[in-house]
Amino acid sequence: MQFELLLPNHVTFGWGKRTQLGTLATGLGQRAVIVSGSRTLRRSVLWEELINSLAHAKIDVACEFEARREPTIADVDSATQEILACQKKPDLVIGIGGGAALDLAKAIAAMATNQHGSSVRDFLEGVGTGLQIENPPLPMIAVPTTAGTGSEATKNAVVSVDAPPCKKSLRSEKMVPDIILIDPELTSSNPPEITAASGMDAITQLIESYLSNRATSLTQALCLEGLKLAIPNLPRAFEDGMNQEARSAMSYAAFLSGVALANSGLGMAHGVAAALGAQCDISHGLACATLLPIALKTNQTASRKQQAVLGKLFAKDPHLSKAAAIEASITAIEELCDQLRIPRKLRDLGVKENQLEDIANGSRGNSMNGNPRELSTDELYSILKENW
């Protein structure tokens, strides 16, 4: 048995743990850049508690940025230049929000200390000039406010590119946040549609990491642990956003999904979801949710053993035959999507038929490398058209 495991240095998890933000930050720096997402959270007493915790610890807020969308090259570059222009240089980045806020925080933390390129674009996979993150980023704390992306535990930041329209990663093992503070109560204000989309993102990551051709026994164990919690608890969180047990389970599952994908990669659903987001402006979690049953059907011949395990887990029946278990793995996800009011067809997401070819061509990113079977662009186009 051989494997490598990339993990965050420090994780604090628990309902109400947000009040420890200042104490945790003290060991990393004194002048913080704050990158935030949800405006609803910023208007709440929960936000006041986070900021007061920093003030009590004598952590100064040097500047703030708001991530209202997935970060673009221009967003990263302008924020980085603002940080570098500060009279008193920030020495800490704190990301508080969903995947977009955490990705922007991770990107500017890395770019602030790696100025050997003219733009973050030079460092992006697939479209850059091949530059790498050489210097350690500014110390960073990740505080997720959704239970979905797992970005708090990953080594990359997704950045939107205009020409060509696509999403590419800024990636380095140095980019894993130094400290992760997960307070599930911060997700309690998420509306049902955000709860559903982000939760399905986490479930897709857990399943694709489990099926990945780069999976290890350890990452698969993490995935199964996450799925045992996420499958029954996502509908509960969807129906009752204040359900503490369900919210905590989903935050934990999302964290495990981030650890798993950072070490074993993803697959087809995420590969295509990136293209759907870039070309059709479809939210990442919603795209993943619609694509997950399609990906399971596409990969079932190449991952029969793994999908049988998932089917028995989802159906809670260890005695199912392999064929019945594989079918159950797909049926359970389809039924879950129906329960969460997730569309089955791409057209129901707003995708136009004449966009399918460009989507297939734009789905060749890093996520596709972990898919259990190789898919040509022509085959992928046929799959998308069949499910349009």
Side-chain angles (χ1 to χ4, degrees):
M1 182 181 294
Q2 299 182 32
F3 65 87
E4 295 181 7
L5 187 65
L6 181 67
L7 289 170
N9 290 329
H10 182 114
V11 180
T12 293
F13 183 103
W15 197 270
K17 291 289 187 179
R18 61 189 172 278
T19 57
Q20 296 186 16
L21 178 59
T23 302
L24 294 170
T26 301
L28 294 182
Q30 292 297 315
R31 295 179 302 280
V33 174
I34 294 182
V35 181
S36 63
S38 170
R39 289 187 171 185
T40 301
L41 177 64
R42 289 179 67 94
R43 293 191 293 265
S44 74
V45 67
L46 301 181
W47 180 263
E48 291 181 17
E49 291 173 354
L50 287 165
I51 299 305
N52 288 340
S53 176
L54 292 173
H56 290 155
K58 295 182 170 52
I59 304 294
D60 294 327
V61 178
C63 55
E64 296 186 52
F65 301 101
E66 188 175 332
R68 299 175 62 183
R69 60 185 179 188
E70 292 181 324
T72 65
I73 290 173
D75 292 334
V76 177
D77 287 347
S78 63
T80 301
Q81 292 309 309
E82 188 170 336
I83 290 171
L84 295 174
C86 286
Q87 188 172 8
K88 292 185 177 180
K89 294 291 188 293
D91 55 9
L92 168 66
V93 176
I94 303 175
I96 307 173
L102 299 187
D103 280 356
L104 179 57
K106 288 158 72 175
I108 63 178
M111 288 297 94
T113 58
N114 287 271
Q115 287 294 296
H116 47 285
S118 59
S119 164
V120 68
R121 184 183 181 111
D122 293 332
F123 297 82
L124 297 179
E125 296 174 341
V127 297
T129 60
L131 293 185
Q132 301 296 314
I133 303 298
E134 298 175 358
N135 304 314
L138 290 176
M140 185 191 157
I141 300 177
V143 186
T145 63
T146 63
T149 69
S151 181
E152 65 270 17
T154 65
K155 58 187 174 183
N156 69 301
V158 178
V159 179
S160 294
V161 179
D162 289 333
C166 59
K167 294 182 183 181
K168 296 296 181 181
S169 281
L170 175 68
R171 192 185 307 272
S172 169
E173 292 189 0
K174 298 180 177 71
M175 289 174 57
V176 177
D178 298 273
I179 294 176
I180 302 172
L181 173 59
I182 305 174
D183 181 349
E185 192 171 1
L186 295 176
T187 71
S188 61
S189 62
N190 292 169
E193 62 272 17
I194 299 298
T195 298
S198 58
M200 285 305 300
D201 188 12
I203 287 173
T204 304
Q205 287 166 178
L206 290 165
I207 290 176
E208 292 207 299
S209 293
Y210 183 78
L211 301 180
S212 170
N213 56 34
R214 293 181 286 183
T216 67
S217 297
L218 183 52
T219 59
Q220 288 182 323
L222 295 177
C223 292
L224 292 178
E225 172 72 7
L227 288 167
K228 287 175 185 177
L229 292 168
I231 296 296
N233 280 294
L234 178 53
R236 297 172 67 200
F238 178 74
E239 296 294 339
D240 177 11
M242 295 305 297
N243 186 313
Q244 181 174 341
E245 183 181 23
R247 288 295 192 187
S248 296
M250 288 308 303
S251 289
Y252 181 44
F255 167 67
L256 292 179
S257 79
V259 174
L261 77 87
N263 288 278
S264 62
L266 294 164
M268 171 190 153
H270 271 81
V272 178
L276 284 174
Q279 299 187 36
C280 305
D281 197 25
I282 297 169
S283 76
H284 179 71
L286 184 58
C288 284
T290 297
L291 289 161
L292 180 56
I294 300 170
L296 285 170
K297 292 174 185 176
T298 300
N299 289 316
Q300 61 183 312
T301 56
S303 55
R304 289 180 57 81
K305 178 181 178 181
Q306 294 90 335
Q307 282 191 228
V309 172
L310 295 180
K312 291 176 182 180
L313 173 65
F314 299 162
K316 297 182 180 179
D317 184 354
H319 304 297
L320 285 178
S321 67
K322 180 175 285 188
I326 292 171
E327 188 63 31
S329 72
I330 299 168
T331 301
I333 297 302
E334 289 179 331
E335 291 176 349
L336 177 59
C337 287
D338 290 343
Q339 191 173 358
L340 300 174
R341 298 192 283 276
I342 302 291
R344 289 276 191 100
K345 296 293 185 178
L346 296 175
R347 65 167 67 89
D348 296 327
L349 295 177
V351 178
K352 306 299 183 186
E353 188 173 12
N354 61 8
Q355 294 178 302
L356 295 178
E357 186 174 354
D358 287 339
I359 292 168
N361 288 326
S363 300
R364 313 311 305 183
N366 186 69
S367 292
M368 198 66 83
N369 294 335
N371 202 60
R373 53 173 287 211
E374 285 193 25
L375 293 169
S376 68
T377 301
D378 288 343
E379 185 176 8
L380 186 57
Y381 170 75
S382 297
I383 293 167
L384 295 179
K385 189 168 183 179
E386 182 181 345
N387 291 278
W388 178 76

